[in-house]
mmCIF file of all heavy atoms in Angstrom:
data_model
loop_
_atom_site.group_PDB
_atom_site.id
_atom_site.type_symbol
_atom_site.label_atom_id
_atom_site.label_comp_id
_atom_site.label_asym_id
_atom_site.label_seq_id
_atom_site.Cartn_x
_atom_site.Cartn_y
_atom_site.Cartn_z
ATOM 1 N N PHE A 1 102.880 -52.356 -65.928
ATOM 2 C CA PHE A 1 101.872 -51.702 -66.691
ATOM 3 C C PHE A 1 101.711 -52.314 -68.041
ATOM 4 O O PHE A 1 100.608 -52.634 -68.474
ATOM 5 C CB PHE A 1 102.286 -50.126 -66.753
ATOM 6 C CG PHE A 1 101.254 -49.382 -67.626
ATOM 7 C CD1 PHE A 1 100.022 -49.112 -67.198
ATOM 8 C CD2 PHE A 1 101.651 -49.014 -68.961
ATOM 9 C CE1 PHE A 1 99.197 -48.437 -68.031
ATOM 10 C CE2 PHE A 1 100.777 -48.319 -69.758
ATOM 11 C CZ PHE A 1 99.502 -48.008 -69.268
ATOM 12 N N VAL A 2 102.772 -52.536 -68.734
ATOM 13 C CA VAL A 2 102.779 -53.156 -70.088
ATOM 14 C C VAL A 2 102.349 -54.513 -70.047
ATOM 15 O O VAL A 2 101.479 -54.993 -70.822
ATOM 16 C CB VAL A 2 104.164 -52.978 -70.762
ATOM 17 C CG1 VAL A 2 104.143 -53.634 -72.132
ATOM 18 C CG2 VAL A 2 104.582 -51.461 -70.958
ATOM 19 N N ARG A 3 102.848 -55.337 -69.005
ATOM 20 C CA ARG A 3 102.385 -56.731 -68.921
ATOM 21 C C ARG A 3 100.827 -56.828 -68.688
ATOM 22 O O ARG A 3 100.232 -57.847 -69.138
ATOM 23 C CB ARG A 3 103.097 -57.416 -67.776
ATOM 24 C CG ARG A 3 104.414 -57.907 -68.089
ATOM 25 C CD ARG A 3 105.010 -58.778 -66.936
ATOM 26 N NE ARG A 3 106.385 -59.025 -67.249
ATOM 27 C CZ ARG A 3 107.400 -58.509 -66.407
ATOM 28 N NH1 ARG A 3 107.064 -57.782 -65.359
ATOM 29 N NH2 ARG A 3 108.601 -58.705 -66.688
ATOM 30 N N ALA A 4 100.280 -55.869 -67.999
ATOM 31 C CA ALA A 4 98.863 -55.930 -67.600
ATOM 32 C C ALA A 4 97.957 -55.570 -68.792
ATOM 33 O O ALA A 4 96.697 -55.798 -68.757
ATOM 34 C CB ALA A 4 98.566 -55.020 -66.495
ATOM 35 N N LEU A 5 98.492 -54.995 -69.870
ATOM 36 C CA LEU A 5 97.734 -54.700 -71.087
ATOM 37 C C LEU A 5 97.234 -55.930 -71.769
ATOM 38 O O LEU A 5 98.024 -56.826 -71.960
ATOM 39 C CB LEU A 5 98.474 -53.874 -72.029
ATOM 40 C CG LEU A 5 99.002 -52.472 -71.512
ATOM 41 C CD1 LEU A 5 99.984 -51.889 -72.643
ATOM 42 C CD2 LEU A 5 97.772 -51.558 -71.316
ATOM 43 N N PRO A 6 95.962 -56.009 -72.091
ATOM 44 C CA PRO A 6 95.499 -57.156 -72.931
ATOM 45 C C PRO A 6 96.203 -57.228 -74.178
ATOM 46 O O PRO A 6 96.547 -56.165 -74.852
ATOM 47 C CB PRO A 6 94.019 -56.885 -73.023
ATOM 48 C CG PRO A 6 93.739 -55.498 -72.697
ATOM 49 C CD PRO A 6 94.896 -55.050 -71.877
ATOM 50 N N GLU A 7 96.354 -58.405 -74.722
ATOM 51 C CA GLU A 7 96.999 -58.567 -76.061
ATOM 52 C C GLU A 7 95.998 -57.893 -77.084
ATOM 53 O O GLU A 7 94.777 -57.968 -76.949
ATOM 54 C CB GLU A 7 97.281 -59.952 -76.351
ATOM 55 C CG GLU A 7 98.369 -60.503 -75.468
ATOM 56 C CD GLU A 7 98.784 -62.031 -75.774
ATOM 57 O OE1 GLU A 7 98.431 -62.443 -76.853
ATOM 58 O OE2 GLU A 7 99.330 -62.652 -75.032
ATOM 59 N N GLY A 8 96.577 -57.377 -78.203
ATOM 60 C CA GLY A 8 95.733 -56.861 -79.268
ATOM 61 C C GLY A 8 96.577 -55.829 -79.988
ATOM 62 O O GLY A 8 97.511 -55.272 -79.528
ATOM 63 N N ARG A 9 96.105 -55.513 -81.168
ATOM 64 C CA ARG A 9 96.777 -54.487 -81.920
ATOM 65 C C ARG A 9 96.667 -53.150 -81.325
ATOM 66 O O ARG A 9 95.602 -52.691 -81.108
ATOM 67 C CB ARG A 9 96.209 -54.493 -83.407
ATOM 68 C CG ARG A 9 96.885 -53.564 -84.366
ATOM 69 C CD ARG A 9 96.711 -54.093 -85.781
ATOM 70 N NE ARG A 9 97.011 -53.126 -86.801
ATOM 71 C CZ ARG A 9 97.962 -52.225 -86.883
ATOM 72 N NH1 ARG A 9 98.916 -52.142 -85.999
ATOM 73 N NH2 ARG A 9 98.164 -51.499 -87.923
ATOM 74 N N ARG A 10 97.814 -52.480 -81.129
ATOM 75 C CA ARG A 10 97.772 -51.223 -80.373
ATOM 76 C C ARG A 10 98.255 -49.972 -81.265
ATOM 77 O O ARG A 10 97.868 -48.915 -81.014
ATOM 78 C CB ARG A 10 98.623 -51.215 -79.194
ATOM 79 C CG ARG A 10 98.145 -52.315 -78.235
ATOM 80 C CD ARG A 10 98.219 -51.807 -76.826
ATOM 81 N NE ARG A 10 97.707 -52.833 -76.056
ATOM 82 C CZ ARG A 10 96.384 -53.096 -75.737
ATOM 83 N NH1 ARG A 10 95.515 -52.235 -76.154
ATOM 84 N NH2 ARG A 10 96.081 -54.054 -75.000
ATOM 85 N N GLY A 11 99.188 -50.213 -82.164
ATOM 86 C CA GLY A 11 99.750 -49.098 -82.861
ATOM 87 C C GLY A 11 101.316 -48.932 -82.634
ATOM 88 O O GLY A 11 101.960 -49.876 -82.189
ATOM 89 N N ARG A 12 101.768 -47.777 -82.847
ATOM 90 C CA ARG A 12 103.203 -47.471 -82.810
ATOM 91 C C ARG A 12 103.646 -46.992 -81.487
ATOM 92 O O ARG A 12 102.874 -46.277 -80.739
ATOM 93 C CB ARG A 12 103.544 -46.508 -83.902
ATOM 94 C CG ARG A 12 103.355 -47.037 -85.296
ATOM 95 C CD ARG A 12 103.456 -46.054 -86.331
ATOM 96 N NE ARG A 12 102.617 -44.942 -86.227
ATOM 97 C CZ ARG A 12 102.398 -43.983 -87.128
ATOM 98 N NH1 ARG A 12 103.191 -43.976 -88.192
ATOM 99 N NH2 ARG A 12 101.559 -42.984 -86.931
ATOM 100 N N ALA A 13 104.910 -47.324 -81.137
ATOM 101 C CA ALA A 13 105.444 -46.968 -79.858
ATOM 102 C C ALA A 13 106.876 -46.611 -80.069
ATOM 103 O O ALA A 13 107.557 -47.081 -80.949
ATOM 104 C CB ALA A 13 105.238 -47.994 -78.808
ATOM 105 N N PHE A 14 107.422 -45.940 -79.112
ATOM 106 C CA PHE A 14 108.964 -45.799 -79.019
ATOM 107 C C PHE A 14 109.333 -46.018 -77.545
ATOM 108 O O PHE A 14 108.513 -45.943 -76.600
ATOM 109 C CB PHE A 14 109.462 -44.430 -79.501
ATOM 110 C CG PHE A 14 109.053 -43.205 -78.679
ATOM 111 C CD1 PHE A 14 109.882 -42.682 -77.702
ATOM 112 C CD2 PHE A 14 107.859 -42.583 -79.012
ATOM 113 C CE1 PHE A 14 109.475 -41.524 -76.997
ATOM 114 C CE2 PHE A 14 107.417 -41.484 -78.216
ATOM 115 C CZ PHE A 14 108.298 -40.946 -77.233
ATOM 116 N N LEU A 15 110.595 -46.335 -77.285
ATOM 117 C CA LEU A 15 111.134 -46.770 -75.998
ATOM 118 C C LEU A 15 112.361 -45.837 -75.726
ATOM 119 O O LEU A 15 113.173 -45.576 -76.600
ATOM 120 C CB LEU A 15 111.475 -48.203 -76.139
ATOM 121 C CG LEU A 15 111.921 -48.893 -74.825
ATOM 122 C CD1 LEU A 15 110.843 -48.908 -73.841
ATOM 123 C CD2 LEU A 15 112.222 -50.380 -75.203
ATOM 124 N N PHE A 16 112.377 -45.366 -74.467
ATOM 125 C CA PHE A 16 113.611 -44.594 -74.050
ATOM 126 C C PHE A 16 113.944 -44.902 -72.602
ATOM 127 O O PHE A 16 113.131 -45.343 -71.869
ATOM 128 C CB PHE A 16 113.378 -43.080 -74.217
ATOM 129 C CG PHE A 16 112.300 -42.589 -73.375
ATOM 130 C CD1 PHE A 16 112.677 -41.796 -72.221
ATOM 131 C CD2 PHE A 16 110.947 -42.638 -73.603
ATOM 132 C CE1 PHE A 16 111.667 -41.327 -71.388
ATOM 133 C CE2 PHE A 16 109.940 -42.029 -72.830
ATOM 134 C CZ PHE A 16 110.311 -41.471 -71.640
ATOM 135 N N ALA A 17 115.183 -44.651 -72.261
ATOM 136 C CA ALA A 17 115.727 -44.925 -70.988
ATOM 137 C C ALA A 17 116.801 -43.979 -70.545
ATOM 138 O O ALA A 17 117.555 -43.406 -71.438
ATOM 139 C CB ALA A 17 116.255 -46.345 -70.889
ATOM 140 N N THR A 18 116.947 -43.835 -69.265
ATOM 141 C CA THR A 18 118.147 -43.139 -68.675
ATOM 142 C C THR A 18 118.867 -44.114 -67.869
ATOM 143 O O THR A 18 118.169 -44.962 -67.152
ATOM 144 C CB THR A 18 117.752 -41.933 -67.778
ATOM 145 O OG1 THR A 18 116.895 -42.397 -66.780
ATOM 146 C CG2 THR A 18 117.073 -40.841 -68.664
ATOM 147 N N SER A 19 120.170 -44.190 -67.917
ATOM 148 C CA SER A 19 120.947 -45.218 -67.204
ATOM 149 C C SER A 19 122.385 -44.764 -67.028
ATOM 150 O O SER A 19 122.972 -43.994 -67.873
ATOM 151 C CB SER A 19 120.883 -46.472 -67.988
ATOM 152 O OG SER A 19 121.593 -47.492 -67.377
ATOM 153 N N GLY A 20 122.956 -45.246 -65.965
ATOM 154 C CA GLY A 20 124.396 -45.069 -65.722
ATOM 155 C C GLY A 20 125.232 -45.896 -66.698
ATOM 156 O O GLY A 20 126.426 -45.500 -66.924
ATOM 157 N N PHE A 21 124.716 -46.970 -67.287
ATOM 158 C CA PHE A 21 125.419 -47.875 -68.104
ATOM 159 C C PHE A 21 124.669 -48.115 -69.365
ATOM 160 O O PHE A 21 123.491 -47.752 -69.450
ATOM 161 C CB PHE A 21 125.759 -49.160 -67.320
ATOM 162 C CG PHE A 21 126.622 -48.963 -66.124
ATOM 163 C CD1 PHE A 21 126.020 -48.929 -64.832
ATOM 164 C CD2 PHE A 21 127.931 -48.887 -66.210
ATOM 165 C CE1 PHE A 21 126.800 -48.728 -63.704
ATOM 166 C CE2 PHE A 21 128.735 -48.634 -65.122
ATOM 167 C CZ PHE A 21 128.178 -48.548 -63.847
ATOM 168 N N PRO A 22 125.250 -48.781 -70.297
ATOM 169 C CA PRO A 22 124.549 -49.181 -71.562
ATOM 170 C C PRO A 22 123.224 -49.952 -71.242
ATOM 171 O O PRO A 22 123.180 -50.670 -70.297
ATOM 172 C CB PRO A 22 125.464 -50.015 -72.392
ATOM 173 C CG PRO A 22 126.809 -49.525 -71.920
ATOM 174 C CD PRO A 22 126.663 -49.202 -70.385
ATOM 175 N N VAL A 23 122.178 -49.678 -72.048
ATOM 176 C CA VAL A 23 120.860 -50.186 -71.879
ATOM 177 C C VAL A 23 120.559 -51.343 -72.845
ATOM 178 O O VAL A 23 120.929 -51.183 -74.024
ATOM 179 C CB VAL A 23 119.824 -49.116 -71.968
ATOM 180 C CG1 VAL A 23 118.429 -49.704 -71.820
ATOM 181 C CG2 VAL A 23 120.160 -48.019 -71.048
ATOM 182 N N LEU A 24 119.984 -52.434 -72.414
ATOM 183 C CA LEU A 24 119.485 -53.498 -73.297
ATOM 184 C C LEU A 24 117.993 -53.229 -73.520
ATOM 185 O O LEU A 24 117.184 -53.404 -72.569
ATOM 186 C CB LEU A 24 119.697 -54.852 -72.654
ATOM 187 C CG LEU A 24 121.213 -55.224 -72.439
ATOM 188 C CD1 LEU A 24 121.251 -56.552 -71.608
ATOM 189 C CD2 LEU A 24 121.916 -55.322 -73.707
ATOM 190 N N MET A 25 117.691 -52.758 -74.747
ATOM 191 C CA MET A 25 116.261 -52.484 -75.074
ATOM 192 C C MET A 25 115.444 -53.657 -75.448
ATOM 193 O O MET A 25 114.308 -53.634 -75.517
ATOM 194 C CB MET A 25 116.263 -51.478 -76.143
ATOM 195 C CG MET A 25 116.912 -50.101 -75.798
ATOM 196 S SD MET A 25 115.789 -49.165 -74.831
ATOM 197 C CE MET A 25 116.578 -47.610 -74.923
ATOM 198 N N GLY A 26 116.155 -54.718 -75.870
ATOM 199 C CA GLY A 26 115.443 -55.954 -76.396
ATOM 200 C C GLY A 26 114.349 -56.531 -75.552
ATOM 201 O O GLY A 26 113.236 -56.761 -76.095
ATOM 202 N N PRO A 27 114.556 -56.800 -74.331
ATOM 203 C CA PRO A 27 113.431 -57.397 -73.506
ATOM 204 C C PRO A 27 112.202 -56.498 -73.486
ATOM 205 O O PRO A 27 111.087 -57.014 -73.614
ATOM 206 C CB PRO A 27 114.115 -57.498 -72.070
ATOM 207 C CG PRO A 27 115.543 -57.650 -72.367
ATOM 208 C CD PRO A 27 115.853 -56.771 -73.518
ATOM 209 N N MET A 28 112.359 -55.203 -73.212
ATOM 210 C CA MET A 28 111.175 -54.328 -73.224
ATOM 211 C C MET A 28 110.533 -54.175 -74.622
ATOM 212 O O MET A 28 109.290 -54.107 -74.690
ATOM 213 C CB MET A 28 111.542 -53.028 -72.653
ATOM 214 C CG MET A 28 110.374 -52.143 -72.268
ATOM 215 S SD MET A 28 109.375 -52.884 -70.950
ATOM 216 C CE MET A 28 108.301 -51.511 -70.539
ATOM 217 N N THR A 29 111.419 -54.155 -75.558
ATOM 218 C CA THR A 29 110.876 -54.023 -76.988
ATOM 219 C C THR A 29 110.041 -55.307 -77.309
ATOM 220 O O THR A 29 108.875 -55.160 -77.904
ATOM 221 C CB THR A 29 112.043 -53.953 -78.014
ATOM 222 O OG1 THR A 29 112.820 -52.695 -77.657
ATOM 223 C CG2 THR A 29 111.504 -53.824 -79.442
ATOM 224 N N ARG A 30 110.468 -56.405 -76.901
ATOM 225 C CA ARG A 30 109.734 -57.660 -77.162
ATOM 226 C C ARG A 30 108.416 -57.681 -76.384
ATOM 227 O O ARG A 30 107.350 -58.131 -76.895
ATOM 228 C CB ARG A 30 110.557 -58.934 -76.839
ATOM 229 C CG ARG A 30 111.642 -59.214 -77.847
ATOM 230 C CD ARG A 30 112.320 -60.490 -77.722
ATOM 231 N NE ARG A 30 113.208 -60.522 -76.462
ATOM 232 C CZ ARG A 30 114.426 -59.992 -76.406
ATOM 233 N NH1 ARG A 30 114.965 -59.400 -77.416
ATOM 234 N NH2 ARG A 30 115.048 -60.074 -75.251
ATOM 235 N N LEU A 31 108.534 -57.231 -75.124
ATOM 236 C CA LEU A 31 107.305 -57.152 -74.274
ATOM 237 C C LEU A 31 106.284 -56.299 -74.879
ATOM 238 O O LEU A 31 105.053 -56.612 -75.018
ATOM 239 C CB LEU A 31 107.629 -56.684 -72.866
ATOM 240 C CG LEU A 31 106.413 -56.458 -71.924
ATOM 241 C CD1 LEU A 31 105.671 -57.791 -71.719
ATOM 242 C CD2 LEU A 31 106.954 -56.021 -70.535
ATOM 243 N N LEU A 32 106.629 -55.087 -75.308
ATOM 244 C CA LEU A 32 105.746 -54.178 -76.078
ATOM 245 C C LEU A 32 105.193 -54.848 -77.350
ATOM 246 O O LEU A 32 103.931 -54.710 -77.603
ATOM 247 C CB LEU A 32 106.421 -52.786 -76.395
ATOM 248 C CG LEU A 32 106.637 -51.915 -75.271
ATOM 249 C CD1 LEU A 32 107.610 -50.824 -75.583
ATOM 250 C CD2 LEU A 32 105.337 -51.356 -74.716
ATOM 251 N N GLY A 33 105.969 -55.536 -78.055
ATOM 252 C CA GLY A 33 105.507 -56.264 -79.275
ATOM 253 C C GLY A 33 104.505 -57.318 -78.889
ATOM 254 O O GLY A 33 103.538 -57.435 -79.698
ATOM 255 N N ARG A 34 104.609 -58.021 -77.893
ATOM 256 C CA ARG A 34 103.671 -59.051 -77.454
ATOM 257 C C ARG A 34 102.372 -58.397 -77.010
ATOM 258 O O ARG A 34 101.371 -59.069 -76.997
ATOM 259 C CB ARG A 34 104.120 -59.868 -76.315
ATOM 260 C CG ARG A 34 105.287 -60.889 -76.729
ATOM 261 C CD ARG A 34 105.563 -61.938 -75.669
ATOM 262 N NE ARG A 34 106.105 -61.408 -74.451
ATOM 263 C CZ ARG A 34 107.320 -61.110 -74.113
ATOM 264 N NH1 ARG A 34 108.336 -61.400 -75.018
ATOM 265 N NH2 ARG A 34 107.758 -60.640 -72.988
ATOM 266 N N ARG A 35 102.373 -57.131 -76.657
ATOM 267 C CA ARG A 35 101.108 -56.441 -76.243
ATOM 268 C C ARG A 35 100.584 -55.621 -77.442
ATOM 269 O O ARG A 35 99.699 -54.815 -77.278
ATOM 270 C CB ARG A 35 101.399 -55.536 -75.077
ATOM 271 C CG ARG A 35 101.692 -56.290 -73.787
ATOM 272 C CD ARG A 35 100.510 -57.154 -73.445
ATOM 273 N NE ARG A 35 100.651 -57.961 -72.299
ATOM 274 C CZ ARG A 35 100.944 -59.229 -72.250
ATOM 275 N NH1 ARG A 35 101.157 -59.905 -73.403
ATOM 276 N NH2 ARG A 35 101.155 -59.874 -71.109
ATOM 277 N N GLY A 36 101.040 -55.879 -78.672
ATOM 278 C CA GLY A 36 100.517 -55.264 -79.932
ATOM 279 C C GLY A 36 101.135 -53.966 -80.368
ATOM 280 O O GLY A 36 100.541 -53.407 -81.276
ATOM 281 N N PHE A 37 102.195 -53.528 -79.722
ATOM 282 C CA PHE A 37 102.820 -52.310 -80.210
ATOM 283 C C PHE A 37 103.930 -52.649 -81.246
ATOM 284 O O PHE A 37 104.638 -53.603 -81.106
ATOM 285 C CB PHE A 37 103.475 -51.527 -79.032
ATOM 286 C CG PHE A 37 102.534 -50.903 -78.114
ATOM 287 C CD1 PHE A 37 102.119 -51.475 -76.967
ATOM 288 C CD2 PHE A 37 101.952 -49.584 -78.409
ATOM 289 C CE1 PHE A 37 101.276 -50.853 -76.073
ATOM 290 C CE2 PHE A 37 101.077 -49.078 -77.568
ATOM 291 C CZ PHE A 37 100.649 -49.712 -76.431
ATOM 292 N N GLU A 38 104.034 -51.748 -82.215
ATOM 293 C CA GLU A 38 105.116 -51.780 -83.166
ATOM 294 C C GLU A 38 106.135 -50.699 -82.647
ATOM 295 O O GLU A 38 105.838 -49.487 -82.716
ATOM 296 C CB GLU A 38 104.708 -51.379 -84.558
ATOM 297 C CG GLU A 38 105.801 -51.271 -85.514
ATOM 298 C CD GLU A 38 105.460 -50.607 -86.832
ATOM 299 O OE1 GLU A 38 104.239 -50.213 -86.986
ATOM 300 O OE2 GLU A 38 106.346 -50.288 -87.572
ATOM 301 N N VAL A 39 107.246 -51.177 -82.089
ATOM 302 C CA VAL A 39 108.317 -50.230 -81.636
ATOM 303 C C VAL A 39 109.031 -49.699 -82.761
ATOM 304 O O VAL A 39 109.798 -50.446 -83.483
ATOM 305 C CB VAL A 39 109.163 -50.884 -80.584
ATOM 306 C CG1 VAL A 39 110.268 -50.000 -80.107
ATOM 307 C CG2 VAL A 39 108.382 -51.408 -79.326
ATOM 308 N N VAL A 40 108.897 -48.413 -83.109
ATOM 309 C CA VAL A 40 109.504 -47.806 -84.212
ATOM 310 C C VAL A 40 110.829 -47.257 -83.951
ATOM 311 O O VAL A 40 111.555 -46.963 -84.945
ATOM 312 C CB VAL A 40 108.548 -46.719 -84.840
ATOM 313 C CG1 VAL A 40 107.267 -47.284 -85.300
ATOM 314 C CG2 VAL A 40 108.259 -45.597 -83.818
ATOM 315 N N ASP A 41 111.285 -47.001 -82.694
ATOM 316 C CA ASP A 41 112.636 -46.524 -82.406
ATOM 317 C C ASP A 41 112.828 -46.532 -80.894
ATOM 318 O O ASP A 41 111.956 -46.690 -80.044
ATOM 319 C CB ASP A 41 112.747 -45.034 -82.924
ATOM 320 C CG ASP A 41 114.145 -44.690 -83.427
ATOM 321 O OD1 ASP A 41 115.137 -45.514 -83.028
ATOM 322 O OD2 ASP A 41 114.359 -43.796 -84.156
ATOM 323 N N THR A 42 114.180 -46.377 -80.612
ATOM 324 C CA THR A 42 114.586 -46.410 -79.207
ATOM 325 C C THR A 42 115.556 -45.257 -78.979
ATOM 326 O O THR A 42 116.204 -44.864 -79.934
ATOM 327 C CB THR A 42 115.133 -47.676 -78.771
ATOM 328 O OG1 THR A 42 116.364 -47.915 -79.491
ATOM 329 C CG2 THR A 42 114.231 -48.833 -78.919
ATOM 330 N N PHE A 43 115.669 -44.759 -77.732
ATOM 331 C CA PHE A 43 116.589 -43.764 -77.364
ATOM 332 C C PHE A 43 117.065 -43.980 -75.915
ATOM 333 O O PHE A 43 116.219 -44.337 -75.074
ATOM 334 C CB PHE A 43 115.894 -42.413 -77.449
ATOM 335 C CG PHE A 43 116.704 -41.301 -77.007
ATOM 336 C CD1 PHE A 43 117.671 -40.680 -77.893
ATOM 337 C CD2 PHE A 43 116.619 -40.679 -75.758
ATOM 338 C CE1 PHE A 43 118.493 -39.615 -77.541
ATOM 339 C CE2 PHE A 43 117.407 -39.554 -75.406
ATOM 340 C CZ PHE A 43 118.274 -39.073 -76.224
ATOM 341 N N SER A 44 118.315 -43.845 -75.695
ATOM 342 C CA SER A 44 118.843 -43.904 -74.339
ATOM 343 C C SER A 44 119.909 -42.796 -74.074
ATOM 344 O O SER A 44 120.566 -42.370 -75.009
ATOM 345 C CB SER A 44 119.406 -45.258 -73.995
ATOM 346 O OG SER A 44 120.554 -45.557 -74.759
ATOM 347 N N VAL A 45 120.023 -42.418 -72.825
ATOM 348 C CA VAL A 45 121.008 -41.379 -72.510
ATOM 349 C C VAL A 45 121.612 -41.683 -71.176
ATOM 350 O O VAL A 45 120.874 -42.317 -70.337
ATOM 351 C CB VAL A 45 120.305 -39.962 -72.537
ATOM 352 C CG1 VAL A 45 119.294 -39.897 -71.424
ATOM 353 C CG2 VAL A 45 121.328 -38.913 -72.391
ATOM 354 N N ARG A 46 122.784 -41.341 -71.046
ATOM 355 C CA ARG A 46 123.521 -41.618 -69.763
ATOM 356 C C ARG A 46 122.881 -40.611 -68.704
ATOM 357 O O ARG A 46 122.568 -39.470 -69.051
ATOM 358 C CB ARG A 46 124.957 -41.393 -69.845
ATOM 359 C CG ARG A 46 125.687 -42.381 -70.592
ATOM 360 C CD ARG A 46 125.800 -43.764 -69.874
ATOM 361 N NE ARG A 46 126.824 -44.584 -70.529
ATOM 362 C CZ ARG A 46 126.583 -45.395 -71.431
ATOM 363 N NH1 ARG A 46 125.460 -45.517 -71.940
ATOM 364 N NH2 ARG A 46 127.579 -46.092 -71.901
ATOM 365 N N ALA A 47 122.852 -41.060 -67.444
ATOM 366 C CA ALA A 47 122.347 -40.226 -66.401
ATOM 367 C C ALA A 47 122.929 -40.531 -65.060
ATOM 368 O O ALA A 47 123.539 -41.611 -64.883
ATOM 369 C CB ALA A 47 120.788 -40.382 -66.330
#
């Protein structure tokens, strides 16, 4: 979904995940950045 977005200025975003193990947010944060989002914060929780 994010990859399919056309490039351009989009605004602010946050990223969150549920996972059994620690989460690497960097790749998705960079992908959102390339699509014009400013990622202002991230959150993850064990599940």
Side-chain angles (χ1 to χ4, degrees):
F1 174 75
V2 174
R3 276 191 194 110
L5 295 172
E7 292 182 20
R9 185 157 163 41
R10 301 221 178 274
R12 297 176 294 189
F14 66 95
L15 188 58
F16 67 99
T18 58
S19 178
F21 298 99
V23 178
L24 298 173
M25 298 282 196
M28 191 65 167
T29 300
R30 287 188 293 278
L31 177 58
L32 286 166
R34 286 193 301 271
R35 291 301 179 259
F37 288 99
E38 174 195 357
V39 177
V40 296
D41 212 343
T42 64
F43 177 80
S44 67
V45 66
R46 293 285 198 273

